[in-house]
Amino acid sequence: WEKEHEPDLEKGLEMRKWVLSGILASEETYLSHLEALLLPMKPLKAAATTSQPVLTSQQIETIFFKVPELYEIHKEFYDGLFPRVQQWSHQQRVGDLFQKLASQLGVYRAFVDNYEVAMETAEKCCQANAQFAEISEVMSWYSDTQPVDRVTRSTLVLHDLLKHTPVSHPDHPLLQDALRISQNFLSSINEEITPRRQSMTVKKGEHRQLLKDSFMVELVEGARKLRHVFLFTDLFLCAKLKKQIGGKSQQYDCKWYIPLTDLSFQMVDESEAVPNIPLVPDEELDAMKIKISQIKNDIQREKRANKGSKVIERLKKKLSEQESLLLLMSPNMAFRVHNRNGKSYTFLISSDYERAEWRENIREQQKKCFKSFSLTSVELQMLTNSCVKLQTVHNIPLTINKEDDESPGLYGFLNVIVHSATGFKQSSNLYCTLEVDSFGYFVNKAKTRVYRDTTEPNWNEEFEIELEGSQTLRILCYEKCYNKTKLTKEDGESTDRIMGKGQIQLDPQALQDKDWQRTVISMNGVEVKLSVKFTSREFSLKRMPSRKQTGVFGVKIAIVTKRERSKVPYIVRQCVEEIERRGMEEVGIYRVSGVATDIQALKAAFDVNNKDVSVMMSEMDVNAIAGTLKLYFRELPEPLFTDELYPNFAEGIALSDPVAKESCMLNLLLSLPEPNLVTFLFLLDHLKRVAERESVNKMSLHNLATVFGPTLLRPSEKDSKIPANPTQPITMTDSWSLEVMSQVQVLLYFLQLETIPTPDSKRQSILFSTEV
């Protein structure tokens, strides 16, 4: 028996330390509130004996009744507890301190009995005496020092401590005694004080603090609405920013609020329909991104030309409108909150990360909330007014608009090696995903394999992630759940459980030196080891002709097809075949990075024409095969669409007359060299088949165009418009984004054409030739 329960005992004793650390932190805050309250007492007392007293000695006595004693009691408790927690061992005793604290509850009793009189006296003195009114502002009055709240809190803490203290521990009887005293005190006092206390503290409102706020999208009867959400210490408030009329300052309109005691996260049954999320086509999102890039470009141009600030102000306003629109339209992940009295609300969030963060913050705070309440309209009005002063997020947080910041974020490629993780409490099947921000919201870019049954996964997988103005890398660690039936689903999301999450800022200065940098990300007890290395766009996107012409990577497509006597390079056919065999339902195929080491191994095998390459492929993660195919096109010495024709394609796509556009684009396509054309048509048919499975793999034609556009069209170095600006080796201006977007549009155009009417005989012979 002893052996069997040891780990539990260990864990309990470890928990004791955590509970006590929490008590220390909250005692520290409480002491600082009491100190603030006592600060004006000495000068007031000193002034009382002069000819111009601010308050009489009697008034001071009433207002500050028992506050110095309370301070002494808590100071003694804190000073006793601090060193014991510092020199912690499982044998450490703290029960005597709690017992002593409980035995002094008489002082609280006296304070509480005097409370009403103290408040009234203070209010009267404020009205009669301007000097004291100023002082009392600073004192932020009693609400932060509510002893009853304090006893309520410590009673709960005693519960926690007892729960984790073995019965055999010498502290056990002492803690039980302290808990009994506190509970008796509370029940005697609550009967008399409850009705008046509630209104007192809420009226003063100071005990309510803002913990977190942000812009969010609420789903209201199928429509997306932009909201500003505030999490306070006791409630969750959803507000809307009112339109500003004239020179008025900002104002909020409360849409609804839920006291934290009444809030829960709704579990969604498989059978139960999650509200239908209206999705916005990727083309529309992209059009917004193009607009944002263009406006930013214009702003930079105006700044360089030193034009008047009026123009820039107008552009910034336009930018903010576009960014609000993108924020409103882009997120599709449900985050539902439920009010105990029956109503549910759905928000849309762009990443699991934010959703988990909101849930954690709310759950953490709920442990400290014990009462439901409702606010009067006046209180509600006061609360919404306070939001204007309290808000920490002032504008739409899409692209962090640092003033005069020419370089928002990084453009290029980030190589990330996810080494290993430690700190998991029990064996499970673990994997990580990596996200980076682009245009202000986060996109999932890579996923490690699932490491089965372990507490110390060793992934050692490398990924190459493309950055578009990114500033942050996030990592989320999940437990893979293979048994889908057992789990309740929160918000109808995937059943895999988040085990931890963390992020690092991508600092251009630190990443400048091209070397690998190791880093450890800590997330509630779990540590993940990573290495990162950054290559800016100028270097990463150079098309580098291969020095050895016997391989296939970096060798002209015409040379390869001639050597192989094929119409379409063997590597392209092999990869496409394997992906059609088992990758068509892979979520994010072509978008999610494959493991870089696997891709390099495949590249090497294809280059030496290894006969076992198909065996290698059948054993590899399908994302690595997709990555190899992309790399092949990226490393062609000139793009599939050729350097010569690239400018014409870019101009053709900008034509506004659809008939002229079609004629121009098709003629250009058909003037490609034969190997290029045939390979492109082969790839095009494949990508269309991938998009037919969009409902499963989440890859629309548009997503595919985004991935393949730059790869197939980006001109080789001599023709590209990369700004040669040595002072900014890392970041790129937004004209870069515009060029990339035009490449995406060209490919999308061909993907969306129903058929490509190549001269029949030519197409027949091309696609149905036995050699393909």
Side-chain angles (χ1 to χ4, degrees):
W1 182 90
E2 282 288 301
K3 275 280 163 276
E4 196 182 321
H5 282 68
E6 256 171 30
D8 283 354
L9 203 62
E10 272 294 299
K11 203 163 133 202
L13 290 163
E14 193 52 34
M15 284 298 293
R16 261 168 70 85
K17 182 185 178 181
W18 293 121
V19 174
L20 290 167
S21 308
I23 294 173
L24 275 176
S26 95
E27 280 293 314
E28 218 166 290
T29 315
Y30 188 50
L31 282 170
S32 71
H33 287 318
L34 288 167
E35 269 166 14
L37 199 52
L38 288 171
L39 208 57
M41 191 174 92
K42 280 205 182 92
L44 283 170
K45 274 190 169 166
T49 57
T50 66
S51 57
Q52 290 175 308
V54 181
L55 302 179
T56 66
S57 300
Q58 184 53 52
Q59 288 168 328
I60 297 170
E61 180 54 35
T62 308
I63 292 174
F64 292 96
F65 186 66
K66 294 294 177 198
V67 177
E69 290 84 340
L70 277 177
Y71 178 76
E72 284 312 314
I73 290 172
H74 281 274
K75 182 92 177 79
E76 187 187 354
F77 174 70
Y78 179 83
D79 291 345
L81 187 57
F82 185 77
R84 299 197 202 179
V85 175
Q86 290 300 76
Q87 296 139 24
W88 186 252
S89 75
H90 291 336
Q91 283 69 53
Q92 185 65 279
R93 302 164 78 155
V94 293
D96 55 315
L97 297 174
F98 282 92
Q99 202 180 26
K100 179 159 188 198
L101 188 63
S103 70
Q104 293 168 306
L105 284 176
V107 177
Y108 283 82
R109 181 82 225 198
F111 177 94
V112 170
D113 289 343
N114 177 66
Y115 183 75
E116 196 103 300
V117 185
M119 288 301 282
E120 276 164 21
T121 310
E123 298 260 317
K124 276 187 199 138
C125 293
C126 279
Q127 283 155 9
N129 187 321
Q131 224 180 330
F132 178 66
E134 271 176 38
I135 297 172
S136 76
E137 272 303 289
V138 181
M139 289 161 69
S140 88
W141 278 106
Y142 276 44
S143 50
D144 286 333
T145 48
Q146 271 290 358
V148 181
D149 291 343
R150 199 75 219 144
V151 181
T152 313
R153 171 89 48 92
S154 59
T155 309
L156 285 158
V157 163
L158 280 166
H159 265 295
D160 284 347
L161 257 182
L162 262 172
K163 201 162 72 197
H164 300 297
T165 304
V167 183
S168 55
H169 196 289
D171 264 354
H172 200 273
L174 302 178
L175 291 172
Q176 252 177 336
D177 190 41
L179 181 61
R180 184 182 50 77
I181 301 172
S182 307
Q183 279 171 331
N184 290 345
F185 170 79
L186 273 181
S187 54
S188 74
I189 215 156
N190 270 342
E191 280 129 48
E192 324 152 12
I193 198 169
T194 305
R196 65 170 195 235
R197 226 184 91 235
Q198 194 85 42
S199 60
M200 292 300 321
T201 49
V202 174
K203 190 172 84 206
K204 280 298 176 189
E206 276 95 6
H207 72 304
R208 178 175 291 137
Q209 287 162 333
L210 178 65
L211 301 175
K212 182 181 170 72
D213 66 306
S214 85
F215 285 97
M216 253 196 240
V217 177
E218 189 187 2
L219 199 53
V220 184
E221 295 171 357
R224 294 167 174 261
K225 303 280 186 191
L226 196 55
R227 301 287 191 237
H228 199 145
V229 179
F230 295 86
L231 171 62
F232 286 95
T233 34
D234 60 346
L235 64 90
F236 183 77
L237 171 81
C238 173
K240 173 188 173 206
L241 198 51
K242 283 191 197 166
K243 282 261 182 290
Q244 281 168 279
I245 305 161
K248 273 203 182 151
S249 60
Q250 278 191 322
Q251 277 188 311
Y252 283 103
D253 231 352
C254 170
K255 286 294 173 192
W256 48 267
Y257 70 91
I258 307 178
L260 291 188
T261 34
D262 298 341
L263 186 152
S264 64
F265 299 108
Q266 211 166 358
M267 302 297 182
V268 176
D269 225 357
E270 284 290 352
S271 54
E272 193 194 323
V274 178
N276 211 349
I277 298 175
L279 296 182
V280 179
D282 291 323
E283 292 76 64
E284 280 181 38
L285 294 179
D286 248 52
M288 290 175 213
K289 290 182 188 174
I290 290 177
K291 266 201 190 134
I292 289 173
S293 299
Q294 275 164 340
I295 297 171
K296 284 178 157 178
N297 242 3
D298 295 345
I299 292 177
Q300 296 306 340
R301 207 178 45 239
E302 293 297 331
K303 279 186 181 163
R304 282 195 291 275
N306 257 332
K307 288 270 171 61
S309 60
K310 277 231 168 73
V311 185
I312 293 182
E313 278 317 302
R314 207 168 50 240
L315 284 167
K316 283 196 168 161
K317 190 165 179 255
K318 258 169 74 179
L319 182 63
S320 152
E321 282 164 14
Q322 280 303 318
E323 292 187 332
S324 306
L325 198 58
L326 185 56
L327 174 76
L328 186 64
M329 297 308 178
S330 53
N332 317 324
M333 189 178 271
F335 166 55
R336 298 175 81 192
V337 292
H338 181 66
N339 190 339
R340 245 210 323 241
N341 25 16
K343 190 144 171 45
S344 291
Y345 304 92
T346 302
F347 291 103
L348 298 178
I349 287 190
S350 68
S351 151
D352 229 353
Y353 195 99
E354 276 99 35
R355 182 165 63 181
E357 198 161 54
W358 275 101
R359 280 193 194 140
E360 280 163 27
N361 290 339
I362 289 172
R363 284 186 176 135
E364 198 40 52
Q365 192 53 31
Q366 281 178 323
K367 294 179 188 161
K368 305 170 192 165
C369 296
F370 318 104
K371 267 213 186 94
S372 180
F373 54 85
S374 63
L375 300 179
T376 65
S377 54
V378 175
E379 286 165 345
L380 197 53
Q381 191 53 54
M382 282 170 64
L383 181 64
T384 1
N385 291 349
S386 72
C387 289
V388 179
K389 291 199 286 288
L390 295 171
Q391 61 181 7
T392 55
V393 180
H394 292 277
N395 35 23
I396 304 292
L398 277 191
T399 46
I400 299 173
N401 275 323
K402 297 201 191 82
E403 278 308 300
D404 302 319
D405 186 351
E406 301 281 315
S407 52
L410 298 176
Y411 288 85
F413 286 90
L414 188 70
N415 284 65
V416 183
I417 301 177
V418 183
H419 297 290
S420 58
T422 51
F424 294 101
K425 296 286 182 280
Q426 62 218 53
S427 231
S428 40
N429 305 315
L430 301 164
Y431 69 90
C432 290
T433 61
L434 301 173
E435 298 184 340
V436 292
D437 55 314
S438 153
F439 285 88
Y441 59 94
F442 280 80
V443 186
N444 181 7
K445 289 284 197 172
K447 175 180 165 186
T448 66
R449 67 182 188 282
V450 178
Y451 215 101
R452 312 272 308 234
D453 297 328
T454 180
T455 54
E456 298 199 353
N458 256 324
W459 293 288
N460 289 322
E461 292 182 66
E462 184 188 332
F463 301 95
E464 183 179 75
I465 292 174
E466 191 168 357
L467 305 181
E468 301 173 282
S470 309
Q471 297 172 330
T472 309
L473 169 72
R474 286 177 170 178
I475 183 160
L476 292 108
C477 209
Y478 290 90
E479 175 186 5
K480 178 88 185 149
C481 170
Y482 291 103
N483 180 354
K484 299 287 186 208
T485 50
K486 282 202 313 212
L487 275 148
T488 46
K489 281 193 165 194
E490 251 177 45
D491 292 349
E493 69 204 70
S494 73
T495 43
D496 298 345
R497 195 157 67 96
I498 293 191
M499 304 295 282
K501 59 184 183 19
Q503 57 185 22
I504 49 173
Q505 292 310 312
L506 299 173
D507 170 19
Q509 271 14 75
L511 291 166
Q512 205 73 287
D513 60 8
K514 306 278 176 299
D515 278 338
W516 285 102
Q517 305 196 358
R518 287 189 75 111
T519 174
V520 174
I521 295 186
S522 311
M523 24 205 195
N524 45 10
V526 174
E527 288 196 337
V528 180
K529 292 187 182 56
L530 295 182
S531 293
V532 292
K533 181 173 79 171
F534 175 75
T535 319
S536 65
R537 229 175 203 157
E538 303 89 306
F539 298 104
S540 58
L541 290 184
K542 272 186 184 154
R543 292 188 178 271
M544 304 294 280
S546 170
R547 279 190 291 284
K548 62 176 205 309
Q549 291 293 303
T550 51
V552 291
F553 279 81
V555 179
K556 284 186 175 159
I557 193 164
I559 295 177
V560 173
T561 49
K562 194 170 172 188
R563 186 198 318 137
E564 294 178 353
R565 295 204 182 81
S566 62
K567 303 259 181 183
V568 173
Y570 174 69
I571 177 172
V572 177
R573 295 188 321 236
Q574 280 289 93
C575 292
V576 163
E577 227 167 83
E578 193 60 29
I579 285 165
E580 297 210 342
R581 192 169 72 79
R582 60 192 179 92
M584 301 298 265
E585 303 204 333
E586 179 75 19
V587 174
I589 185 73
Y590 289 120
R591 193 192 66 231
V592 173
S593 305
V595 177
T597 36
D598 288 354
I599 295 173
Q600 290 307 323
L602 273 178
K603 174 182 173 177
F606 275 115
D607 265 345
V608 299
N609 194 11
N610 187 331
K611 294 286 171 274
D612 300 330
V613 75
S614 53
V615 177
M616 266 174 81
M617 285 171 88
S618 62
E619 291 167 356
M620 261 181 199
D621 176 47
V622 72
N623 288 316
I625 294 157
T628 308
L629 183 61
K630 287 188 300 187
L631 186 67
Y632 168 72
F633 286 115
R634 201 166 94 204
E635 291 197 353
L636 281 175
E638 79 163 342
L640 199 61
F641 278 57
T642 73
D643 284 333
E644 186 193 348
L645 292 176
Y646 173 68
N648 307 27
F649 278 110
E651 281 161 26
I653 196 69
L655 293 172
S656 44
D657 173 32
V659 181
K661 186 192 272 191
E662 181 165 342
S663 145
C664 169
M665 296 296 276
L666 285 175
N667 277 318
L668 283 170
L669 187 65
L670 295 179
S671 39
L672 285 175
E674 187 163 343
N676 299 48
L677 175 63
V678 182
T679 302
F680 176 63
L681 292 175
F682 179 78
L683 180 67
L684 196 67
D685 283 343
H686 163 65
L687 295 179
K688 285 179 170 181
R689 281 194 292 278
V690 172
E692 281 167 8
R693 314 298 285 276
E694 183 193 347
S695 60
V696 188
N697 63 31
K698 305 285 183 265
M699 292 301 284
S700 60
L701 287 175
H702 187 274
N703 282 342
L704 292 162
T706 307
V707 171
F708 275 97
T711 307
L712 301 179
L713 279 119
R714 192 194 63 259
S716 51
E717 193 63 9
K718 58 183 181 298
D719 293 315
S720 97
K721 303 191 191 114
I722 291 176
N725 179 351
T727 57
Q728 290 184 326
I730 271 200
T731 42
M732 307 290 301
T733 54
D734 280 288
S735 61
W736 175 269
S737 312
L738 292 175
E739 200 180 339
V740 167
M741 294 196 183
S742 136
Q743 295 159 4
V744 171
Q745 296 302 319
V746 171
L747 179 54
L748 185 59
Y749 183 78
F750 291 117
L751 281 167
Q752 286 173 336
L753 277 183
E754 284 299 311
T755 53
I756 293 188
T758 49
D760 269 356
S761 56
K762 190 167 178 182
R763 185 172 174 96
Q764 290 297 331
S765 65
I766 285 171
L767 285 179
F768 301 101
S769 142
T770 51
E771 298 172 52
V772 170

